[in-house]
């Protein structure tokens, strides 16, 4: 079969359960068969269609002819010196490449997945932003990243319960595929991952935040701020020119009210740039009275940006100011820096 015919096949991992039922119904098979297929793929963790028991031979044949359920091929796997972070370069059918990270913490594992090849947002300190936008990922390609990490964990008799959408790309710029992937991952009859263990991180796409609120999406939301005045934020995060802090914070409050959940705010600390007492106070005032938690991330180095991470003293002082406003904050542990798997360092290595 030629390459185009392969590309034209339906990716089974790109279907919600309902869509799978619809596909098979169109071929004349009852929902029972779709259920068998879904459970085989997600409950029993079949790695190929032939492993799934109880599929009718004629159905199996049609599935082979018209669909794929292939794992994303691993181009490169690297492990950090401390062994707690692993990064995978995964290939896509059109030969784009993305990166996925597995982070091991005490008692839990987290997959960090990409939602786009590259990113259109252009944040100055981010390696993905520096490479520009290549394309959106499909839901199946997002699910495929989680499956890769999950299978690896299973081989080690370990579980994977947490997924953060903090790899390459802006999830709310690829809203449909991101939400569809989340529906597939959290489906009760399949992987049944807990919605509260799924975290979407956004640069602050206002219509996307409002849409998540309106649709009652039950996931954790993290908003990347990095600046507490429009001027500071615009210098680091280009979309801040489109949506001012006023407009963004209105959307965040709307989300909080509708969902009843607190929001996480991310802040990459850059020495002499946004680690000042002035910015800390501005951030305190901005979030005061909100159900919020601030994640502070000392800048990770990237080729295209000359800034330096804030030193430990400044980080502490910054936290001190936030606590004056009763704002809880956590300093994100630096991880996987030696293999460029830290926040904002992901970039398809071969590019
Ligand atoms: N596009 C989404 C999710 C991916 S980036 C977003 O921007 O939120 C995940 C987090 O890493 C964001 O908070 C981002 O601002 C941060 N980040 C990007 N580059 C970084 C760097 N060089 N050092 C530290 N954090 C960085
Ligand atoms: Fe895109 Fe997020 Fe990087 Fe900004 S920080 S360029 S939104 S991936």
């Amino acid at each position: 079969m030629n390459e185009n015919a392969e590309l034209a096949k339906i990716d089974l991992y790109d279907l919600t359960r309902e869509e799978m039922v619809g596909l098979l119904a169109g071929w004349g098979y009852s929902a029972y068969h779709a259920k068998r297929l879904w459970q085989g793929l997600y409950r029993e963790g079949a790695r190929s269609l032939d492993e799934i028991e109880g599929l009718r031979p004629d159905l199996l044949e049609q599935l082979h002819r018209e669909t794929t359920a292939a794992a994303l091929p691993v181009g490169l796997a690297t492990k950090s010196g401390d062994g707690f972070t692993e990064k995978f370069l995964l290939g896509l059918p059109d030969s784009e490449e993305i990166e996925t990270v597995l982070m091991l913490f005490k008692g839990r594992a987290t997959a960090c997945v990409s939602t786009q090849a590259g990113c259109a947002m252009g944040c100055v300190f981010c390696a993905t932003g520096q490479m520009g936008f290549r394309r959106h990922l499909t839901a199946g390609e997002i699910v495929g990243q989680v499956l890769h990490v999950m299978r690896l964990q299973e081989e080690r008799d370990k579980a994977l319960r947490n997924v953060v959408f903090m790899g390459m790309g802006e999830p709310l710029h690829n809203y449909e595929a991101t939400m569809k992937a989340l529906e597939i991952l959290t489906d009760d009859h399949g992987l049944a991952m807990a919605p509260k263990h799924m975290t979407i991180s956004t640069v602050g796409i206002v219509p996307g935040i409002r849409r998540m609120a309106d649709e009652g999406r039950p996931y954790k939301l993290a908003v990347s701020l990095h600046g507490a005045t429009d001027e500071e934020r615009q210098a680091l995060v280009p979309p801040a020119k489109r949506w001012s802090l006023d407009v963004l914070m209105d959307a965040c409050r709307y989300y909080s009210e509708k969902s009843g959940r607190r929001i996480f705010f991310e802040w990459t600390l850059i020495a002499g740039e946004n680690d000042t007492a002035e910015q800390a106070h501005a951030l305190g005032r901005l979030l005061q009275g909100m159900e919020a938690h601030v994640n502070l991330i000392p800048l990770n180095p990237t080729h295209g940006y000359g800034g330096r991470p804030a030193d430990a003293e400044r980080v502490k002082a910054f936290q001190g100011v936030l606590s004056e406003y009763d704002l809880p904050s956590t300093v994100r542990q630096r991880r996987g820096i030696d293999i460029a798997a830290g926040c904002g360092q992901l970039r398809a290595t071969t590019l």
Side-chain angles (χ1 to χ4, degrees):
M1 188 166 291
N2 70 35
E3 197 185 329
N4 283 344
E6 273 303 311
L7 281 176
K9 285 183 167 187
I10 297 163
D11 178 7
L12 291 177
Y13 293 123
D14 198 41
L15 305 180
T16 61
R17 184 156 45 89
E18 204 178 312
E19 287 172 340
M20 193 172 281
V21 170
L23 176 74
L24 266 56
W27 294 349
Y29 296 94
S30 70
Y32 166 83
H33 296 278
K35 190 172 162 196
R36 191 76 280 289
L37 177 57
W38 183 266
Q39 290 191 337
L41 289 175
Y42 294 111
R43 267 286 154 90
E44 294 145 32
R47 303 209 180 181
S48 78
L49 291 170
D50 298 310
E51 282 180 24
I52 303 174
E53 283 171 25
L55 288 180
R56 263 171 51 182
D58 51 345
L59 172 58
L60 186 62
E61 196 189 316
Q62 187 157 9
L63 286 169
H64 274 304
R65 211 166 46 237
E66 298 188 33
T67 72
T68 70
L72 298 174
V74 186
L76 193 69
T78 40
K79 199 180 243 186
S80 64
D82 62 15
F84 291 124
T85 305
E86 286 173 82
K87 181 167 90 164
F88 309 96
L89 181 70
L90 301 176
L92 305 180
D94 61 353
S95 68
E96 285 292 344
E97 291 177 316
I98 47 164
E99 293 185 317
T100 304
V101 179
L102 167 61
M103 297 176 286
L104 302 174
F105 300 88
K106 226 190 223 155
R108 82 189 146 95
T110 297
C112 177
V113 300
S114 297
T115 53
Q116 298 175 319
C119 183
M121 300 298 135
C123 304
V124 295
F125 48 76
C126 171
T128 310
Q130 290 156 16
M131 75 184 266
F133 180 70
R134 312 266 311 168
R135 73 163 168 86
H136 293 303
L137 301 191
T138 65
E141 289 165 344
I142 300 171
V143 170
Q145 296 171 65
V146 177
L147 287 175
H148 172 71
V149 173
M150 197 176 261
R151 286 167 181 170
L152 204 74
Q153 283 290 91
E154 265 163 23
E155 284 163 17
R156 299 164 177 170
D157 279 327
K158 298 257 160 54
L160 176 77
R161 293 202 186 84
N162 304 281
V163 181
V164 294
F165 288 64
M166 294 186 186
M168 299 167 78
E170 166 51 44
L172 298 188
H173 182 215
N174 188 15
Y175 190 93
E176 307 279 348
T178 297
M179 295 305 153
K180 189 173 173 184
L182 280 158
E183 276 169 41
I184 295 168
L185 296 173
T186 57
D187 188 290
D188 281 344
H189 299 264
L191 296 174
M193 299 188 89
K196 64 176 183 207
H197 291 158
M198 307 286 113
T199 303
I200 296 178
S201 174
T202 177
V203 71
I205 307 278
V206 165
I209 295 171
R210 289 188 170 270
R211 187 167 166 196
M212 276 185 73
D214 288 335
E215 293 174 354
R217 301 284 175 179
Y219 316 114
K220 274 196 199 173
L221 181 67
V223 176
S224 298
L225 269 186
H226 314 307
T229 55
D230 281 319
E231 191 190 8
E232 182 57 43
R233 194 160 187 265
Q234 285 172 11
L236 299 170
V237 178
K241 293 175 192 142
R242 176 132 174 228
W243 297 288
S244 68
L245 272 171
D246 270 355
V247 169
L248 175 59
M249 294 315 296
D250 272 350
C252 289
R253 276 185 288 270
Y254 181 73
Y255 180 89
S256 284
E257 280 158 24
K258 280 239 162 181
S259 69
R261 278 187 299 274
R262 72 178 161 165
I263 300 184
F264 295 81
F265 290 94
E266 289 162 289
W267 190 283
T268 295
L269 277 164
I270 309 166
E273 176 74 43
N274 64 358
D275 67 342
T276 59
E278 202 187 332
Q279 279 295 315
H281 281 287
L283 178 59
R285 287 192 298 272
L286 196 68
L287 302 185
Q288 204 168 22
M290 261 183 92
E291 277 288 327
H293 188 102
V294 179
N295 285 324
L296 299 167
I297 320 163
L299 179 76
N300 292 321
T302 59
H303 283 300
Y305 184 64
R308 286 178 306 106
D311 63 39
E313 221 167 280
R314 292 302 282 268
V315 176
K316 238 180 137 183
F318 201 93
Q319 272 195 300
V321 173
L322 296 184
S323 61
E324 289 174 30
Y325 294 84
D326 287 328
L327 269 177
S329 62
T330 311
V331 182
R332 187 86 58 79
Q333 286 168 281
R334 301 189 85 204
R335 293 183 149 270
I337 306 303
D338 55 336
I339 55 166
C343 287
Q345 292 184 307
L346 298 185
R347 170 187 184 131
T349 325
T350 49
L351 277 170

